[in-house]
């Protein structure tokens, strides 16, 4: 029997707490559809206390769409190629303090991410999410029109180089992997305003981690415009903040949101991410 799922909004703009669903088994089509619909509406869904095994985490992601293959710069967990390990703490300082959407350096950036908290510091390490539909909608009509004429360059180097060179001895393997990445997988150009493949709505598609510059402008113009847009993304009115407990799973729409992990801790923090490259439902829509 499909589960009775309830979405409780967590802010005026983005995020919902999801009640009445056990993600560990029995992912009926109706349950998956309800969750995907809830995601399109609320953009970031918090499923508290799910405590999924790694295998169940991957199985859940696979019900939504094709999974992103192994991330070239991150370890995998439990021999499962689709589980990306994000670990920070005493050895590797927190390094996710940039507003970003995951992997926008890819021609087709992933459409969703499912992040599970495995080990948490005693305090700190919250994750914030910001709504890129709302950021776009609140710009003036003239600015929206202007942005709609522009393209921006996104690159993996822009996002990772500044992090990895902080401790080049510890990070030497990741630096080597970065240098070996195929340019076709690590550098791309996207419209500054994109349309969501499922909702059709326009959203702001530049982020301070991976966007190096706006292709069609002089560098000072590009910098000024990216700074203005980054200021908007940082405005609390567009955000929700999740304070993690071990076992929580948070799923976000990786196109219409950006996120930021607070680096206000020094103890070990371990997260596992399953990344959905393309929703089945979006693909079906494209095929018809
Ligand atoms: C991510 O950027 O995918 C991870 C965010 C986090 O660690 O909270």
């Amino acid at each position: 029997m499909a589960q009775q799922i309830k979405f409780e909004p967590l802010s005026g703009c983005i995020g919902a707490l999801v009640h009445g669903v056990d993600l560990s088994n029995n992912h009926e089509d109706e349950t998956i559809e309800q969750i995907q619909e809830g995601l399109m509406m609320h953009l970031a869904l918090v499923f508290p206390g799910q405590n999924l095994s790694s295998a169940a985490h991957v199985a859940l992601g696979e019900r939504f769409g094709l999974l992103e293959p192994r991330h070239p710069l991150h370890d995998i967990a439990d021999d499962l190629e689709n589980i990306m390990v994000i670990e920070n703490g005493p050895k590797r300082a927190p390094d996710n303090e940039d507003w970003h959407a995951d992997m926008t350096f890819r021609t087709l950036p992933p459409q969703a991410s499912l992040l599970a908290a495995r080990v948490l510091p005693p305090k700190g390490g919250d994750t914030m999410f910001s709504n890129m539909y709302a950021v776009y909608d609140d710009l003036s009509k003239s600015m929206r029109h202007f942005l709609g004429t522009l393209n921006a360059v996104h690159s993996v180097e822009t996002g990772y180089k500044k992090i990895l060179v902080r401790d080049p001895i510890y990070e030497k393997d990741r630096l080597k992997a970065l240098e070996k990445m195929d340019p076709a997988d690590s550098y791309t150009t996207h419209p500054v305003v994109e349309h969501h493949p499922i909702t059709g709505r326009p959203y702001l598609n530049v982020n301070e981690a991976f966007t190096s510059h706006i292709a069609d402008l002089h560098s000072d113009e590009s910098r000024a415009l990216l700074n203005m847009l980054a200021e908007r993304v940082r405005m609390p009115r567009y955000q929700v903040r999740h304070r993690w407990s071990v076992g929580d799973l948070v799923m976000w729409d990786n196109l219409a949101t950006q996120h930021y992990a607070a680096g206000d801790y020094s103890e070990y923090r371990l997260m596992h991410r399953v990344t959905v490259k393309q929703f089945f439902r979006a693909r079906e829509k494209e095929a018809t």
Side-chain angles (χ1 to χ4, degrees), residues 86 96 100 102 115 127 252 259 261 269 271 273:
I86 300 170
N96 237 332
H100 66 284
D102 294 324
L115 189 68
T127 307
W252 62 86
H259 54 282
R269 179 180 187 269
M271 312 296 277
R273 193 177 88 202

Side-chain angles (χ1 to χ4, degrees), residues 94 96-97 124-128 241 260-265 269:
N96 237 332
E97 289 193 286
D126 298 353
T127 307
M128 273 76 79
R241 179 175 186 131
Y260 177 111
D264 55 347
Y265 60 95
R269 179 180 187 269

